[in-house]
Amino acid sequence: MRAWSVVRPGPVEEGSLRFVEKPVPVPGDDELLVHMRTCGVCRTDLHVAEGDLPVHRPGVTPGHEVVGVVGALGASVRGFAVGDRVGVAWLRRTDGTCVYCRRGAENLCPSSRYTGWDADGGYAQYTTVPAAFAYPLPASLDDVAPAPLMCAGIIGYRALKRAALPPGGRLGLYGFGGSAHLCAQVALAEGAAVHVMTRGAAARRLALDLGASSAQDAWATPPEPLDSAILFAPAGDLVPVALRALDRGGVLAIAGIHLTDVPPLHYESELFYEKELRSVTSNTREDGREFLTLAARHGVRATTHTYPLSRADEALRDLKEGRFDGAAVLVNDLS
């Protein structure tokens, strides 16, 4: 099969990804072989390709927002059949026995493994996934629409939960890419006022089109104090900016897996009055199920821009440069 491989982590514009031949993977005893139809392009893929995240698997194939069809089953798999439509997400496997898994926090499992980082992912004609971590998808959706939901949507929902937005609250979103524009739709559907701070003019227009109360530059002050905020942009310099925008008792959640260094914080203006700063680590499968249910109920849909699988490197370069709003999706053009 053809697949993209991180041959040398570094700037994507310098060829860190290469289109190569790899064997079609053989599913393990508890796994599904998935014939990829579409795969969302996530900023985490960029971090893997550029080495912001340490190498876990030399030559790894990125991609963890996969929509595909089951092509083969491991010997112990039950509940799936060849031809079923499934989604493959970032969280690939946990041990199920540690203290975190036992208390329902499998996203904190020290033995957790991730698609497109610990195992080859969806920038390929085929990938595999443990059956217990695959999401059944309804046939009513096309192949492109669900792809960004598999990570951008699920992680955005996890970040929204961590931000503890009160009913009818005021939410600030810093950065407005694939994850943020899905998170915003959930928050708006549940009655929040959403204010967007982001660098791109196209992203600001999309925010307003979706129903945001305001959209301004990433460094701007929102028009009203915020009850909650989520930082999607991987820019640590924005942490104090977002904290200053919070009202008393407000919560800032940092949604990214990678963040540049945070500058020193000024206690009185940025943390006092019981403001909180929280990180977000992956998601649980329950988060995924909850989000997909809400997405169906509220009609949450990604704004998508498609690229052929054979041009995945171009999609990552465009993501890095902020050349599109919403989310990019790779479409298998190789069958």
Side-chain angles (χ1 to χ4, degrees), residues 142-199:
D142 64 26
D143 290 328
V144 173
L149 306 187
M150 291 299 106
C151 177
I154 295 171
I155 293 297
Y157 175 66
R158 176 78 186 183
L160 186 60
K161 290 171 67 173
R162 292 285 291 159
L165 180 67
R170 301 157 295 174
L171 175 67
L173 301 179
Y174 288 81
F176 203 69
S179 193
H181 90 293
L182 295 168
C183 173
Q185 291 177 59
V186 174
L188 288 164
E190 299 195 334
V194 174
H195 300 283
V196 171
M197 280 63 66
T198 192
R199 64 180 181 174

Side-chain angles (χ1 to χ4, degrees), residues 24-91:
V24 174
V26 177
D29 189 61
D30 65 344
E31 293 180 343
L32 308 173
L33 175 69
V34 178
H35 185 193
M36 190 278 271
R37 287 185 172 174
T38 60
C39 183
V41 177
C42 180
R43 187 164 292 275
T44 301
D45 302 333
L46 183 63
H47 294 320
V48 170
E50 297 204 319
D52 296 324
L53 297 179
V55 173
H56 279 192
R57 179 184 176 90
V60 70
T61 294
H64 56 274
E65 295 181 333
V66 182
V67 173
V69 174
V70 175
L73 310 171
S76 68
V77 172
R78 301 292 181 269
F80 288 94
V82 171
D84 284 353
R85 199 150 167 269
V86 296
V88 180
W90 174 237
L91 184 65

Side-chain angles (χ1 to χ4, degrees), residues 145-272:
L149 306 187
M150 291 299 106
C151 177
I154 295 171
I155 293 297
Y157 175 66
R158 176 78 186 183
L160 186 60
K161 290 171 67 173
R162 292 285 291 159
L165 180 67
R170 301 157 295 174
L171 175 67
L173 301 179
Y174 288 81
F176 203 69
S179 193
H181 90 293
L182 295 168
C183 173
Q185 291 177 59
V186 174
L188 288 164
E190 299 195 334
V194 174
H195 300 283
V196 171
M197 280 63 66
T198 192
R199 64 180 181 174
R204 292 195 291 270
R205 287 194 296 271
L206 174 60
L208 294 173
D209 289 344
L210 290 173
S213 298
S214 72
Q216 46 267 311
D217 182 75
W219 298 88
T221 301
E224 60 180 339
L226 305 173
D227 297 303
S228 303
I230 304 172
L231 177 59
F232 288 100
D237 286 347
L238 286 173
V239 169
V241 175
L243 285 169
R244 287 195 295 272
L246 291 176
D247 203 351
R248 299 183 181 205
V251 177
L252 170 63
I254 299 174
I257 192 173
H258 169 76
L259 188 73
T260 58
D261 288 345
V262 179
L265 298 177
H266 185 262
Y267 179 68
E268 185 173 355
S269 63
E270 294 159 3
L271 283 173
F272 195 50

